[in-house]
Amino acid sequence: MSSNFCSKPVDVSKFGVIYAGAQKNVGPSGVTIVIIRNDLIGKAQVTTPLMLDYKIHAENKSLYNTPPCFAIYMCGLVFEDLLDQGGLKEKEKKNVHKAKILYDAIDESNGFYRCPVEKAVRSLMNVPFTLEKSELEGEFIKQAAAENMVQLKGHRSVGGVRASIYNAMPLAGVEKL
């Protein structure tokens, strides 16, 4: 998990291992959160590096190596804020609302904007879209930047425009876009 981690409730019992790059919604770049089912601990292959053998971490209460204190502190602040906002159920409601605003604007644009993702599998965190005429995308990104809306250029492998609306993106930012 990465983009969607802590954006909505997840039944962790349905997974053996959750390996989450937490830099999108939880903490600074480089933070990884691992949730592993107890019955899988101690099942590492002989060739598994020690740092990836979760038995070592479990036996040492996640303190096998020097923990990144600042990153953990920042994650703690984010978790406190999530709780103050009502938890993951409330965060999911906010994220659904933000995504709906953008997807509705795209879907109701009579083809001027187009989302290449089927409605049933659209992300709440990343809203990709293209413009009716691809030559307008550069101008769109330029004008958005003039309004302090940055980092909208689409992923290098697919192009277009991508609005990342992670937990920290306020509703006002989505409405402005």
Side-chain angles (χ1 to χ4, degrees), residues 44-64:
Q45 296 178 354
V46 177
T47 58
T48 302
L50 282 178
M51 287 304 297
L52 296 176
D53 182 349
Y54 298 119
K55 181 180 180 197
I56 300 291
H57 294 281
E59 290 174 346
N60 291 279
K61 300 184 187 316
S62 294
L63 295 172
Y64 177 69

mmCIF file of all heavy atoms in Angstrom, residues 44-64:
data_model
loop_
_atom_site.group_PDB
_atom_site.id
_atom_site.type_symbol
_atom_site.label_atom_id
_atom_site.label_comp_id
_atom_site.label_asym_id
_atom_site.label_seq_id
_atom_site.Cartn_x
_atom_site.Cartn_y
_atom_site.Cartn_z
ATOM 1 N N ALA A 44 11.052 -16.401 7.101
ATOM 2 C CA ALA A 44 11.957 -15.844 6.092
ATOM 3 C C ALA A 44 12.837 -16.939 5.500
ATOM 4 O O ALA A 44 13.200 -17.908 6.181
ATOM 5 C CB ALA A 44 12.833 -14.753 6.721
ATOM 6 N N GLN A 45 13.167 -16.770 4.241
ATOM 7 C CA GLN A 45 14.080 -17.705 3.588
ATOM 8 C C GLN A 45 15.495 -17.468 4.110
ATOM 9 O O GLN A 45 15.814 -16.393 4.623
ATOM 10 C CB GLN A 45 14.035 -17.511 2.074
ATOM 11 C CG GLN A 45 12.687 -17.835 1.480
ATOM 12 C CD GLN A 45 12.654 -17.587 -0.024
ATOM 13 O OE1 GLN A 45 13.587 -17.072 -0.618
ATOM 14 N NE2 GLN A 45 11.552 -17.980 -0.640
ATOM 15 N N VAL A 46 16.344 -18.453 3.950
ATOM 16 C CA VAL A 46 17.725 -18.360 4.418
ATOM 17 C C VAL A 46 18.451 -17.181 3.773
ATOM 18 O O VAL A 46 19.289 -16.533 4.398
ATOM 19 C CB VAL A 46 18.477 -19.680 4.117
ATOM 20 C CG1 VAL A 46 19.940 -19.586 4.529
ATOM 21 C CG2 VAL A 46 17.804 -20.836 4.835
ATOM 22 N N THR A 47 18.096 -16.870 2.544
ATOM 23 C CA THR A 47 18.785 -15.798 1.811
ATOM 24 C C THR A 47 18.228 -14.403 2.111
ATOM 25 O O THR A 47 18.736 -13.415 1.602
ATOM 26 C CB THR A 47 18.679 -16.048 0.292
ATOM 27 O OG1 THR A 47 17.294 -16.125 -0.068
ATOM 28 C CG2 THR A 47 19.394 -17.344 -0.094
ATOM 29 N N THR A 48 17.206 -14.324 2.944
ATOM 30 C CA THR A 48 16.599 -13.030 3.262
ATOM 31 C C THR A 48 17.559 -12.195 4.109
ATOM 32 O O THR A 48 18.051 -12.665 5.133
ATOM 33 C CB THR A 48 15.280 -13.227 4.036
ATOM 34 O OG1 THR A 48 14.394 -14.020 3.236
ATOM 35 C CG2 THR A 48 14.623 -11.893 4.365
ATOM 36 N N PRO A 49 17.837 -10.970 3.706
ATOM 37 C CA PRO A 49 18.685 -10.101 4.536
ATOM 38 C C PRO A 49 18.064 -9.897 5.921
ATOM 39 O O PRO A 49 16.837 -9.844 6.057
ATOM 40 C CB PRO A 49 18.714 -8.779 3.761
ATOM 41 C CG PRO A 49 18.317 -9.134 2.367
ATOM 42 C CD PRO A 49 17.402 -10.319 2.470
ATOM 43 N N LEU A 50 18.898 -9.781 6.940
ATOM 44 C CA LEU A 50 18.401 -9.623 8.312
ATOM 45 C C LEU A 50 17.391 -8.495 8.451
ATOM 46 O O LEU A 50 16.418 -8.618 9.184
ATOM 47 C CB LEU A 50 19.570 -9.384 9.273
ATOM 48 C CG LEU A 50 20.371 -10.616 9.675
ATOM 49 C CD1 LEU A 50 21.529 -10.220 10.586
ATOM 50 C CD2 LEU A 50 19.491 -11.642 10.352
ATOM 51 N N MET A 51 17.640 -7.381 7.768
ATOM 52 C CA MET A 51 16.744 -6.235 7.912
ATOM 53 C C MET A 51 15.342 -6.505 7.360
ATOM 54 O O MET A 51 14.405 -5.781 7.665
ATOM 55 C CB MET A 51 17.329 -4.989 7.233
ATOM 56 C CG MET A 51 18.498 -4.386 7.989
ATOM 57 S SD MET A 51 18.106 -3.975 9.701
ATOM 58 C CE MET A 51 16.864 -2.738 9.485
ATOM 59 N N LEU A 52 15.202 -7.537 6.547
ATOM 60 C CA LEU A 52 13.889 -7.887 6.010
ATOM 61 C C LEU A 52 13.306 -9.141 6.669
ATOM 62 O O LEU A 52 12.274 -9.645 6.242
ATOM 63 C CB LEU A 52 13.971 -8.063 4.490
ATOM 64 C CG LEU A 52 14.336 -6.795 3.727
ATOM 65 C CD1 LEU A 52 14.493 -7.100 2.242
ATOM 66 C CD2 LEU A 52 13.307 -5.702 3.946
ATOM 67 N N ASP A 53 13.975 -9.636 7.674
ATOM 68 C CA ASP A 53 13.472 -10.775 8.439
ATOM 69 C C ASP A 53 12.681 -10.199 9.607
ATOM 70 O O ASP A 53 13.237 -9.704 10.590
ATOM 71 C CB ASP A 53 14.637 -11.634 8.937
ATOM 72 C CG ASP A 53 14.155 -12.864 9.701
ATOM 73 O OD1 ASP A 53 12.953 -12.949 10.028
ATOM 74 O OD2 ASP A 53 15.001 -13.734 9.992
ATOM 75 N N TYR A 54 11.382 -10.247 9.517
ATOM 76 C CA TYR A 54 10.530 -9.600 10.505
ATOM 77 C C TYR A 54 10.584 -10.272 11.872
ATOM 78 O O TYR A 54 10.191 -9.671 12.876
ATOM 79 C CB TYR A 54 9.106 -9.458 9.974
ATOM 80 C CG TYR A 54 9.091 -8.585 8.741
ATOM 81 C CD1 TYR A 54 8.653 -9.056 7.521
ATOM 82 C CD2 TYR A 54 9.575 -7.284 8.804
ATOM 83 C CE1 TYR A 54 8.679 -8.238 6.389
ATOM 84 C CE2 TYR A 54 9.613 -6.466 7.692
ATOM 85 C CZ TYR A 54 9.158 -6.958 6.484
ATOM 86 O OH TYR A 54 9.196 -6.153 5.385
ATOM 87 N N LYS A 55 11.115 -11.496 11.956
ATOM 88 C CA LYS A 55 11.317 -12.140 13.257
ATOM 89 C C LYS A 55 12.321 -11.329 14.081
ATOM 90 O O LYS A 55 12.136 -11.131 15.285
ATOM 91 C CB LYS A 55 11.824 -13.571 13.071
ATOM 92 C CG LYS A 55 12.032 -14.301 14.374
ATOM 93 C CD LYS A 55 12.526 -15.708 14.146
ATOM 94 C CE LYS A 55 12.718 -16.381 15.508
ATOM 95 N NZ LYS A 55 13.550 -17.563 15.403
ATOM 96 N N ILE A 56 13.375 -10.846 13.432
ATOM 97 C CA ILE A 56 14.387 -10.025 14.104
ATOM 98 C C ILE A 56 13.735 -8.765 14.688
ATOM 99 O O ILE A 56 13.980 -8.383 15.831
ATOM 100 C CB ILE A 56 15.512 -9.623 13.123
ATOM 101 C CG1 ILE A 56 16.216 -10.850 12.550
ATOM 102 C CG2 ILE A 56 16.489 -8.650 13.764
ATOM 103 C CD1 ILE A 56 17.034 -11.620 13.547
ATOM 104 N N HIS A 57 12.880 -8.136 13.897
ATOM 105 C CA HIS A 57 12.212 -6.910 14.359
ATOM 106 C C HIS A 57 11.234 -7.208 15.491
ATOM 107 O O HIS A 57 11.152 -6.459 16.467
ATOM 108 C CB HIS A 57 11.503 -6.217 13.198
ATOM 109 C CG HIS A 57 12.451 -5.696 12.175
ATOM 110 N ND1 HIS A 57 13.152 -4.526 12.340
ATOM 111 C CD2 HIS A 57 12.857 -6.209 10.984
ATOM 112 C CE1 HIS A 57 13.930 -4.321 11.293
ATOM 113 N NE2 HIS A 57 13.767 -5.335 10.460
ATOM 114 N N ALA A 58 10.490 -8.311 15.372
ATOM 115 C CA ALA A 58 9.523 -8.675 16.409
ATOM 116 C C ALA A 58 10.231 -8.982 17.726
ATOM 117 O O ALA A 58 9.793 -8.532 18.796
ATOM 118 C CB ALA A 58 8.689 -9.867 15.959
ATOM 119 N N GLU A 59 11.322 -9.708 17.646
ATOM 120 C CA GLU A 59 12.069 -10.059 18.862
ATOM 121 C C GLU A 59 12.674 -8.825 19.541
ATOM 122 O O GLU A 59 12.910 -8.835 20.744
ATOM 123 C CB GLU A 59 13.191 -11.045 18.523
ATOM 124 C CG GLU A 59 12.699 -12.426 18.152
ATOM 125 C CD GLU A 59 13.799 -13.353 17.672
ATOM 126 O OE1 GLU A 59 14.913 -12.879 17.357
ATOM 127 O OE2 GLU A 59 13.525 -14.562 17.574
ATOM 128 N N ASN A 60 12.919 -7.789 18.756
ATOM 129 C CA ASN A 60 13.536 -6.577 19.294
ATOM 130 C C ASN A 60 12.560 -5.407 19.411
ATOM 131 O O ASN A 60 12.983 -4.249 19.505
ATOM 132 C CB ASN A 60 14.729 -6.182 18.415
ATOM 133 C CG ASN A 60 15.872 -7.161 18.550
ATOM 134 O OD1 ASN A 60 16.640 -7.084 19.499
ATOM 135 N ND2 ASN A 60 15.978 -8.106 17.625
ATOM 136 N N LYS A 61 11.271 -5.724 19.386
ATOM 137 C CA LYS A 61 10.214 -4.705 19.510
ATOM 138 C C LYS A 61 10.422 -3.540 18.529
ATOM 139 O O LYS A 61 10.305 -2.372 18.896
ATOM 140 C CB LYS A 61 10.116 -4.205 20.945
ATOM 141 C CG LYS A 61 9.793 -5.298 21.948
ATOM 142 C CD LYS A 61 9.606 -4.739 23.332
ATOM 143 C CE LYS A 61 9.439 -5.754 24.406
ATOM 144 N NZ LYS A 61 8.639 -6.863 24.283
ATOM 145 N N SER A 62 10.755 -3.895 17.298
ATOM 146 C CA SER A 62 10.996 -2.945 16.197
ATOM 147 C C SER A 62 12.182 -2.013 16.472
ATOM 148 O O SER A 62 12.275 -0.944 15.883
ATOM 149 C CB SER A 62 9.742 -2.121 15.886
ATOM 150 O OG SER A 62 8.733 -2.961 15.378
ATOM 151 N N LEU A 63 13.085 -2.419 17.344
ATOM 152 C CA LEU A 63 14.249 -1.598 17.672
ATOM 153 C C LEU A 63 15.556 -2.323 17.346
ATOM 154 O O LEU A 63 16.569 -2.128 18.030
ATOM 155 C CB LEU A 63 14.216 -1.197 19.159
ATOM 156 C CG LEU A 63 13.056 -0.294 19.571
ATOM 157 C CD1 LEU A 63 13.022 -0.124 21.086
ATOM 158 C CD2 LEU A 63 13.153 1.051 18.881
ATOM 159 N N TYR A 64 15.557 -3.157 16.322
ATOM 160 C CA TYR A 64 16.777 -3.878 15.947
ATOM 161 C C TYR A 64 17.879 -2.910 15.528
ATOM 162 O O TYR A 64 19.041 -3.107 15.826
ATOM 163 C CB TYR A 64 16.476 -4.867 14.820
ATOM 164 C CG TYR A 64 17.704 -5.591 14.318
ATOM 165 C CD1 TYR A 64 18.351 -6.522 15.126
ATOM 166 C CD2 TYR A 64 18.222 -5.333 13.062
ATOM 167 C CE1 TYR A 64 19.491 -7.174 14.684
ATOM 168 C CE2 TYR A 64 19.358 -5.976 12.616
ATOM 169 C CZ TYR A 64 19.987 -6.897 13.426
ATOM 170 O OH TYR A 64 21.109 -7.539 12.998
#
